[in-house]
Amino acid sequence: FEYDEPEGLYFKQFISGAGSEARPVTSAPYTKFTAQDYGFMTVSVTQKKLLFQFINSKGKILYSNNFSK
């Protein structure tokens, strides 16, 4: 799992790797979260908010964050 938010750029990057192998992870200065684990990512969107969560194969929420409009 990885969540990146580079400063000065207008995008955010989400990497879930669902269905893949859990490989060692590295961090960059703009990386907000990383985890070497099996699982998936969920995204919920409303008119005012986007919520995303990284959830491992045991159902534990490893990281959760949201963006408001």
Side-chain angles (χ1 to χ4, degrees):
F1 298 113
E2 187 173 337
Y3 165 50
D4 298 326
E5 194 175 312
E7 287 187 40
L9 299 176
Y10 299 101
F11 72 92
K12 296 166 184 5
Q13 180 176 2
F14 308 94
I15 303 168
S16 75
S20 187
E21 61 183 278
R23 297 181 181 172
V25 294
T26 59
S27 293
Y30 50 81
T31 300
K32 302 296 182 187
F33 171 77
T34 60
Q36 180 183 347
D37 207 343
Y38 294 102
F40 57 95
M41 180 181 169
T42 64
V43 178
S44 300
V45 181
T46 67
Q47 289 181 344
K48 296 186 179 190
K49 187 175 7 177
L50 181 144
L51 167 70
F52 68 95
Q53 298 177 315
F54 291 107
I55 303 171
N56 74 8
S57 60
K58 296 181 187 332
K60 179 181 177 187
I61 297 172
L62 302 175
Y63 183 80
S64 182
N65 200 343
N66 69 78
F67 309 110
S68 298
K69 196 172 186 182

